[in-house]
């Protein structure tokens, strides 16, 4: 057995991450965050300049995220002359080999195959018309948000939820006339609801393990904090679409073509593994497509290939972001964020705000909420013990604020995938992520006005 593997496993079983041990040997360095700053300045700056300064139509499309990420990666590679390029390649390779990154990339590809097959079979359109046939169109977006909430809680993955429902949102927008960005935002908002609450979500598991509390106890506390945000978000979607057309003509649809979606949704609600769900959905879509004459059996690989190829950009971006995050951590950028927050904690409320700020800052730097929770978990536990904060409370705050930031990052996997699936830019979706903003507001109110009692983890 590799001693390093054994050591890392031992740390993880004790509620700490291998990253925690590595962080202690890394010197704090704010300059390590330069690549992230470069990306934000170029991506947001150029987009705003082209769109509003130079009045170029669809100006944000003139700055492809993948190109800006490559520039940021080049900046990261030119930093830190103490490491030669080969050493930096090893650091990046280790970052890409992270279980979360690999799983996410595979989900993208599996989701692409399902999306290509179900779209070619006509499943998305049929599902929309079935949905509209049973629900007034002015409530369609709100209903889409609720569906996304249930699916994400069951699947435990926000990316998987967006993958399953993005084609549905696109078709529903065409059928109802509601803005496409609003429909896809409803899916993304619901996806972040489950990402933060699901008992099988990796973020929830990481938050609970690092703080040493029970999953069910964290769920109860977390649910009470975010429930008002979910209810208000639902009402906002109703209000925004209430004046919409209620006379949408429902075209003919086939229940058989809806079957793949129904199976995927049922499997998600039953807690079936996301890969198994997507594979079953893909196979069913192919069978329905061939049986209904939507495409010939000789095209089954072609329709899957079309969907998979549409995922190439987001998959490559995920890999590049993992490389940048690994170098930022190696150079001491993450450690600087942790030290910066820790030095400014001065009271119980301040400690909780500090924990929120810490995990939020690390998520901005890594664009991965699970990694952000794992990396900041040990220091959050130390702060909690020092100020007598309930471990359930700390776990909830870690999960909530990591999800808040992840849900509004224009370079996070969730919005990048949602944007790719809908044919819009991630920045266009950000203003409509009502649930994330309300979740943050509810959590801050919770910190400021509901101090809570000190309680041990066990």
């Amino acid at each position: 057995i590799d001693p390093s593997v054994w050591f890392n496993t031992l740390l993880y079983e004790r509620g700490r991450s291998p990253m925690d041990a590595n962080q202690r040997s890394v010197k704090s360095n704010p300059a390590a965050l330069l690549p992230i700053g470069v990306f934000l300045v170029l991506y947001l700056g150029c987009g705003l300049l082209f769109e509003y300064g130079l009045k170029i139509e669809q100006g944000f499309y003139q700055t492809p995220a993948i190109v800006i990420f490559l520039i940021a990666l080049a900046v990261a590679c030119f930093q830190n002359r103490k490491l030669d390029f080969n050493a930096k390649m090893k650091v990046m390779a280790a970052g890409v080999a992270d279980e979360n990154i690999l799983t996410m990339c595979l989900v993208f590809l599996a989701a692409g195959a399902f999306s290509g097959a179900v779209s070619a079979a006509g499943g998305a359109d049929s599902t929309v018309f079935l949905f509209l046939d049973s629900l007034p169109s002015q409530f369609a977006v709100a209903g889409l948000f609720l569906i996304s909430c249930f699916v994400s809680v069951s699947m435990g993955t926000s990316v998987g939820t967006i993958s399953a429902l993005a084609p549905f949102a696109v078709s529903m927008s065409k059928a109802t006339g509601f803005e496409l960005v609003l429909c896809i935002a409803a899916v993304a908002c619901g996806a972040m609801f489950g990402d933060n609450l699901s008992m099988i979500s990796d973020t929830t598991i990481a938050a609970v393990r690092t703080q040493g509390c029970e999953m069910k106890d964290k769920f109860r506390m977390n649910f009470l904090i975010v429930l008002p945000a979910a209810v208000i978000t639902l009402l906002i979607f109703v209000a925004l679409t209430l004046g919409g057309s209620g006379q949408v003509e429902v075209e003919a649809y086939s229940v058989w073509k809806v079957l793949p979606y129904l199976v995927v949704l049922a499997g998600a609600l039953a807690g079936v593994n996301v890969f198994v769900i997507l594979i079953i959905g893909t196979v069913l879509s192919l069978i329905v497509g061939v049986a209904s004459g939507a495409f010939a059996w000789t095209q089954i690989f072609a329709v899957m290939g079309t969907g998979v190829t549409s995922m190439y950009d987001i998959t490559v971006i995920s890999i590049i972001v993992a490389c940048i995050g690994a170098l930022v951590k190696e150079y001491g950028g993450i450690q600087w964020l942790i030290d910066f927050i820790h030095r400014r904690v001065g009271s119980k409320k301040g400690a909780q705000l500090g924990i929120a700020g810490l995990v939020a800052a690390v998520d901005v730097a890594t664009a991965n909420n699970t990694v952000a929770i794992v990396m900041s978990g040990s220091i959050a536990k130390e702060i909690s013990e020092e100020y007598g904060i309930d471990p359930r409370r700390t776990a909830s705050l870690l999960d909530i604020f990591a999800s808040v930031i992840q849900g509004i990052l224009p370079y996070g996997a969730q919005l990048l995938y949602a944007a790719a699936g809908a044919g819009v830019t991630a920045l266009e979706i950000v203003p409509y992520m009502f649930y994330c903003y309300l979740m943050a507001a509810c959590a801050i109110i919770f910190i400021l006005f509901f101090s809570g009692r000190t309680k041990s983890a066990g």
Side-chain angles (χ1 to χ4, degrees):
I1 299 176
D2 187 339
S4 63
V5 173
W6 175 84
F7 179 64
N8 288 344
T9 303
L10 179 63
L11 285 176
Y12 186 77
E13 289 299 322
R14 294 188 177 184
R16 291 169 53 199
S17 162
M19 293 185 232
D20 298 328
N22 293 338
Q23 278 174 213
R24 299 180 186 280
S25 62
V26 176
K27 188 176 179 181
S28 176
N29 177 23
L33 298 169
L34 178 62
I36 298 169
V38 168
F39 172 82
L40 291 174
V41 169
L42 288 178
Y43 188 59
L44 297 178
C46 290
L48 291 171
L49 173 64
F50 296 156
E51 183 82 22
Y52 303 107
L54 301 178
K55 305 295 183 182
I56 298 176
E57 186 177 355
Q58 295 187 324
F60 280 108
Y61 287 94
Q62 307 304 315
T63 53
I66 190 169
V67 175
I68 309 300
F69 272 125
L70 285 171
I71 295 173
L73 180 59
V75 171
C77 288
F78 280 115
Q79 285 185 294
N80 195 350
R81 296 182 180 180
K82 293 179 181 179
L83 290 179
D84 60 28
F85 188 71
N86 288 332
K88 292 173 182 175
M89 286 294 293
K90 290 181 180 179
V91 171
M92 289 187 282
V96 174
D98 180 84
E99 179 184 356
N100 293 308
I101 301 300
L102 290 175
T103 301
M104 185 168 59
C105 290
L106 290 174
V107 167
F108 287 151
L109 298 178
F114 171 67
S115 177
V118 77
S119 297
D125 291 338
S126 286
T127 304
V128 168
F129 292 125
L130 174 63
F131 183 61
L132 293 177
D133 200 21
S134 57
L135 184 72
S137 63
Q138 58 263 43
F139 299 116
V141 177
L144 188 56
F145 169 68
L146 284 178
I147 291 174
S148 185
C149 286
F150 283 117
V151 172
S152 59
V153 168
S154 304
M155 293 179 81
T157 163
S158 52
V159 173
T161 300
I162 295 171
S163 301
L165 296 181
F168 185 22
V170 173
S171 295
M172 195 183 76
S173 172
K174 293 177 181 177
T176 61
F178 292 129
E179 287 187 40
L180 176 56
V181 68
L182 186 64
C183 294
I184 198 67
V187 170
C189 284
M192 297 317 298
F193 175 86
D195 192 280
N196 170 242
L197 280 176
S198 175
M199 292 191 183
I200 58 173
S201 168
D202 49 2
T203 59
T204 303
I205 293 170
V208 167
R209 291 185 72 94
T210 58
Q211 301 312 302
C213 61
E214 291 294 327
M215 178 73 75
K216 63 180 186 298
D217 295 331
K218 181 264 183 191
F219 175 85
R220 291 169 185 160
M221 180 169 286
N222 202 152
F223 183 73
L224 291 175
I225 298 172
V226 302
L227 180 59
V231 172
I232 297 172
T233 299
L234 181 65
L235 294 176
I236 289 175
F237 282 126
V238 170
L240 288 177
T241 56
L242 197 56
S245 172
Q247 303 298 322
V248 177
E249 183 178 349
V250 177
E251 298 179 12
Y253 58 85
S254 168
V255 176
W256 288 109
K257 291 185 177 182
V258 177
L259 182 62
Y261 264 118
L262 296 179
V263 170
V264 167
L265 295 180
L269 292 173
V272 181
N273 180 278
V274 61
F275 289 109
V276 176
I277 292 173
L278 291 172
I279 290 171
I280 292 174
T282 301
V283 172
L284 280 176
S285 298
L286 294 174
I287 293 173
V288 169
V290 172
S292 65
F295 52 83
W297 71 268
T298 54
Q299 295 179 296
I300 59 174
F301 298 116
V303 297
M304 284 194 296
T306 300
V308 171
T309 6
S310 69
M311 295 294 107
Y312 284 175
D313 278 359
I314 181 63
T315 303
V316 172
I317 285 175
S318 299
I319 293 172
I320 296 172
V321 169
C323 292
I324 295 172
L327 290 175
V328 167
K329 176 179 174 293
E330 180 69 22
Y331 298 164
I334 303 299
Q335 188 60 46
W336 181 84
L337 289 174
I338 291 173
D339 293 343
F340 179 84
I341 298 293
H342 198 197
R343 286 194 302 267
R344 282 155 179 78
V345 171
S347 65
K348 188 170 182 177
K349 290 181 180 178
Q352 293 175 75
L353 291 172
I355 290 169
L358 170 63
V359 73
V362 176
D363 192 70
V364 169
T366 60
N368 186 306
N369 46 345
T370 304
V371 172
I373 291 171
V374 171
M375 294 179 76
S376 55
S378 61
I379 191 68
K381 186 172 180 62
E382 290 177 13
I383 294 173
S384 297
E385 291 174 347
E386 182 178 347
Y387 288 91
I389 302 170
D390 191 324
R392 301 171 303 172
R393 194 180 184 94
T394 304
S396 297
L397 294 176
L398 283 172
D399 205 353
I400 286 171
F401 283 95
S403 295
V404 165
I405 298 302
Q406 190 67 25
I408 61 175
L409 279 183
Y411 54 94
Q414 287 76 4
L415 290 194
L416 285 173
Y417 183 81
V424 298
T425 67
L427 285 173
E428 289 179 273
I429 303 174
V430 172
Y432 294 93
M433 293 301 292
F434 307 118
Y435 176 69
C436 291
Y437 304 126
L438 289 167
M439 182 165 53
C442 289
I444 292 172
I445 291 172
F446 179 76
I447 292 171
L448 297 179
F449 300 104
F450 300 91
S451 58
R453 295 176 296 174
T454 302
K455 183 176 180 178
S456 64

